[in-house]
Amino acid sequence: MQKFSIGSIEIPSDGSLFFIAGPCIIESRAMAFAVAEELQRIGSREGVTFIFKGSYRKANRSSASSFTGIGDGEALEILAAVREQFGMPVLTDVHEASEVALAIPYVDVLQIPAFLSRQTELLVAAGRSGLAVNIKKGQFMAPEDMALAAEKVAGTGNRSIMLTERGTSFGYHNLVVDFRGIPQMADTGYPVIYDATHSLQLPGVGNGVSGGERQYLLPLARAAVAAGVNGIFFEVHPDPASALSDAETQIALCDFSAVIKELRQLSGCMQSIHSR
């Protein structure tokens, strides 16, 4: 499997899980710092590493009236401040090739949203950035087709690539996770991540706002660990009910430590099984 570093984090992480976590979107400096501080505490206590995730802008909201951000410059500055103060690598989404140059100075990982996972110009621009690139599998794509998306990035000479499973469209307003996709994407030779929160979405079900089924987070995350993912992606928020995006699927920050602890234990069991 392709190996590389993101800051001080080795990807994949020597057989153990790594985690990407943070709010759906940067709402304020205080909120971002509260999340980063708790991630740092959990990391120290549980012996895990985090890549901090925060979208500086959301370009794919269901409704034109939905919150899209506090302003690109301010949000990117907050992401850079999180990296500096808490010593965590930082990830954000980019939606167009022109956004890549804007984001490069502030972050360590560029994420390609699922809706854009076939956009050649965007993938090539992300690859040319020299940063690690996380490509989310489109809800409309077969897992094996992600090899083609990865090739677009790798063709630039950048092989610091991760592939993320986040559910597949199942009729209207619903997603399912086909766990066969995890080993199928691993066959590309790139690390595979499971997006534990977006996989719970019910897209557009809430009158222009995506709903979700947060109660299934742990069962599906456990299944992903058992299926062999290298990392898990979560969106977390101090108060999900008041979140300005994805309120139905983000995890309450106060509950997150227990989730990490359980998944780490399960990961250890799986490593023990595979080492026999």
Side-chain angles (χ1 to χ4, degrees):
M1 178 165 286
Q2 183 70 30
K3 296 187 177 183
F4 52 91
S5 297
I6 301 174
S8 61
I9 301 176
E10 295 295 319
I11 307 291
S13 187
D14 295 326
S16 60
L17 288 175
F18 68 92
F19 297 94
I20 299 171
C24 179
I25 189 169
I26 299 299
E27 299 176 6
S28 69
R29 183 184 182 95
M31 185 271 276
F33 273 42
V35 173
E37 187 174 11
E38 178 62 12
L39 294 182
Q40 191 175 64
R41 279 196 293 264
I42 294 171
S44 297
R45 188 165 57 242
E46 300 298 333
V48 300
T49 52
F50 286 103
I51 298 169
F52 182 90
K53 180 269 170 184
S55 296
Y56 74 91
R57 174 159 51 91
K58 302 299 286 188
N60 56 352
R61 306 304 306 277
S62 298
S63 170
S65 63
S66 295
F67 177 76
T68 58
I70 59 175
D72 294 355
E74 182 178 356
L76 287 166
E77 291 286 356
I78 290 169
L79 287 169
V82 166
R83 176 171 61 182
E84 181 176 352
Q85 179 149 335
F86 297 95
M88 293 180 194
V90 172
L91 172 153
T92 201
D93 304 275
V94 286
H95 311 90
E96 299 179 8
S98 60
E99 294 181 20
V100 171
L102 175 67
I104 286 173
Y106 301 95
V107 301
D108 305 279
V109 186
L110 298 177
Q111 181 165 276
I112 309 301
F115 287 118
L116 303 174
S117 54
R118 290 180 56 175
Q119 296 299 103
T120 301
E121 186 176 347
L122 176 59
L123 289 161
V124 169
R128 288 174 176 164
S129 73
L131 302 181
V133 180
N134 182 32
I135 312 171
K136 288 198 170 184
K137 181 180 75 65
Q139 301 92 325
F140 47 84
M141 285 179 67
E144 59 268 25
D145 291 343
M146 287 294 283
L148 301 174
E151 284 177 13
K152 294 176 182 180
V153 176
T156 69
N158 183 348
R159 298 185 64 83
S160 299
I161 300 167
M162 301 175 285
L163 305 179
T164 295
E165 168 61 51
R166 54 94 73 229
T168 300
S169 294
F170 187 69
Y172 299 120
H173 305 307
N174 200 7
L175 298 173
V176 296
V177 179
D178 179 356
F179 287 100
R180 296 175 299 177
I182 290 171
Q184 287 168 356
M185 286 197 288
D187 284 343
T188 65
Y190 295 107
V192 177
I193 298 166
Y194 172 63
D195 184 338
T197 43
H198 286 101
S199 295
L200 308 174
Q201 281 186 332
L202 300 175
V205 77
N207 191 27
V209 178
S210 291
E213 297 180 313
R214 190 164 30 224
Q215 67 269 31
Y216 299 121
L217 180 134
L218 269 174
L220 294 184
R222 291 175 190 135
V225 173
V229 292
N230 304 107
I232 303 188
F233 175 110
F234 297 94
E235 288 187 339
V236 294
H237 194 282
D239 178 22
S242 68
L244 300 177
S245 178
D246 287 357
E248 296 298 322
T249 52
Q250 293 198 69
I251 307 170
L253 199 54
C254 63
D255 298 331
F256 193 45
S257 180
V259 171
I260 295 297
K261 187 177 185 69
E262 178 170 336
L263 295 179
R264 280 273 288 170
Q265 290 173 343
L266 178 57
S267 178
C269 290
M270 295 307 301
Q271 289 178 53
S272 176
I273 290 170
H274 291 311
S275 65
R276 291 176 186 173

